[in-house]
C-alpha cells in the first residue's frame, strides 16, 4: 500500500510559455515540487505525468518517475483529475497498490518547510477522505449582481486588520497541496470531497504562477524564503 506524490506537468502553457521547465529561483520550476516531495517522510514514489519529453527528462533527472500522458489528456481543457486517473491506471497495471495520493501543483513552488510530512500526519490523524492547503486573506469580498456590487461584509463597520476575529477570517484555496485516498478518488473522481481536512499556509505561500507577472513577483518572494 503506497503513498505517492503526483505532479501534473504538461508541455502546453499559454499564460507563461514552457513554464514547467523555465528557471525559477535557480532551477526548472517543476524541480522545486519534485525536490520538496523527495524530502518528505512517508513518500514511496514521486510521479510526474507529462506529455513533454523535456519535462520528462528534467523531472527524471531530479528523481521523479515519469508516466507519459497521452495527447488526449494533454490539451487546454484536459483536467488534472483525468491525468491522475490515467496515472493510477498505469501504476495498477504495473502491479502497484496506491493507498494515498499527495497532489502537488508545480505552479505553486513556494511551500513551508516540512509541510508535506505535516500534512500527511494531519490527514492520517484526522481520518480525512481529502485534505487541502489554505491560506488566510484579510481582503474584503464583494459579489456582482447585474450592475450592482454587493458586499460580503459590513462595510459600515469596517474592521481594522488586527481586529478581525478568528471566526471572521476568510481563507483561499492556494492550490499548492492536496491529499486524498485512492478509494475516495475512485469513488467521486475529484481530489476533494467526503470529510475534508486542511493544513494552513501563511499568506506568502498562497501565490500561484499563472502569468508573467506572477512569475516575476514570486521570484522576489522566493528570495526571502529559499
Amino acid at each position: 500500500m503506497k503513498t505517492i506524490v503526483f505532479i501534473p506537468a504538461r508541455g502546453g502553457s499559454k499564460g507563461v510559455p514552457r513554464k514547467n521547465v523555465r528557471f525559477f529561483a535557480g532551477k526548472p520550476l517543476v524541480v522545486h515540487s519534485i525536490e520538496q516531495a523527495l524530502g518528505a517522510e512517508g513518500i514511496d514514489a514521486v510521479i510526474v505525468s507529462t506529455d513533454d519529453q523535456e519535462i520528462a527528462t528534467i523531472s527524471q533527472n531530479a528523481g521523479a518517475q515519469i508516466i507519459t500522458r497521452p495527447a488526449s489528456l494533454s490539451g487546454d481543457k484536459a483536467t488534472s483529475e483525468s491525468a491522475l486517473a490515467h496515472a493510477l491506471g498505469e501504476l495498477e497495471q504495473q502491479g502497484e497498490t496506491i493507498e494515498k495520493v499527495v497532489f502537488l501543483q508545480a505552479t505553486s513552488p513556494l511551500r513551508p518547510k516540512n509541510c508535506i510530512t505535516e500534512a500527511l500526519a494531519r490527514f492520517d490523524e484526522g481520518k480525512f477522505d481529502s485534505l487541502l492547503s489554505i491560506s488566510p486573506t484579510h481582503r474584503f469580498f464583494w459579489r456582482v449582481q447585474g450592475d450592482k456590487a454587493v458586499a460580503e461584509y459590513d462595510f459600515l463597520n469596517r474592521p481594522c486588520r488586527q481586529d478581525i476575529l478568528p471566526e471572521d477570517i476568510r481563507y483561499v484555496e492556494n492550490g499548492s497541496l492536496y491529499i486524498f485516498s485512492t478509494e475516495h478518488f475512485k469513488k467521486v473522481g475529484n481530489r476533494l470531497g467526503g470529510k475534508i481536512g486542511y493544513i494552513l499556509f501563511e499568506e506568502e505561500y498562497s501565490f500561484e504562477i499563472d502569468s508573467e507577472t506572477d512569475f516575476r513577483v514570486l521570484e522576489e518572494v522566493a528570495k526571502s524564503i529559499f
Side-chain angles (χ1 to χ4, degrees), residues 23-100:
F23 268 60
F24 175 90
K27 61 188 70 173
L29 182 65
V30 69
V31 172
H32 290 282
S33 294
I34 293 170
E35 291 182 346
Q36 291 161 11
L38 290 171
E41 297 177 12
I43 301 299
D44 297 298
V46 178
I47 307 295
V48 170
S49 166
T50 187
D51 60 323
D52 186 274
Q53 186 55 53
E54 184 180 10
I55 294 174
T57 299
I58 288 171
S59 298
Q60 195 165 34
N61 289 341
Q65 298 178 32
I66 306 302
I67 289 185
T68 302
R69 192 189 308 188
S72 60
L73 302 178
S74 302
D76 291 339
K77 294 184 179 180
T79 65
S80 295
E81 273 82 359
S82 66
L84 174 59
H86 169 262
L88 289 174
E90 291 289 303
L91 291 169
E92 287 176 358
Q93 286 185 11
Q94 296 170 21
E96 302 288 0
T97 302
I98 310 303
E99 180 184 16
K100 286 176 286 190

Side-chain angles (χ1 to χ4, degrees), residues 108-192:
S108 298
L110 307 183
R111 296 183 179 91
K113 194 172 182 179
N114 300 322
C115 68
I116 299 172
T117 301
E118 292 172 8
L120 274 169
R122 187 176 182 90
F123 179 83
D124 291 338
E125 290 165 6
K127 297 181 180 179
F128 296 112
D129 298 303
S130 58
L131 177 147
L132 76 160
S133 56
I134 59 176
S135 296
T137 176
H138 295 87
R139 293 181 178 272
F140 298 113
F141 289 91
W142 291 70
R143 292 184 184 276
V144 173
Q145 295 180 355
D147 60 352
K148 296 186 300 182
V150 181
E152 291 192 344
Y153 73 101
D154 183 3
F155 54 81
L156 297 176
N157 296 285
R158 183 190 300 267
C160 296
R161 177 169 177 159
Q162 65 271 19
D163 295 330
I164 297 176
L165 298 174
E167 60 266 27
D168 292 330
I169 295 175
R170 299 290 296 273
Y171 296 87
V172 295
E173 179 179 340
N174 57 44
S176 183
L177 179 153
Y178 303 85
I179 302 176
F180 44 89
S181 68
T182 305
E183 181 182 8
H184 159 77
F185 180 76
K186 287 183 175 181
K187 190 180 300 182
V188 303
N190 195 285
R191 71 191 81 174
L192 292 172

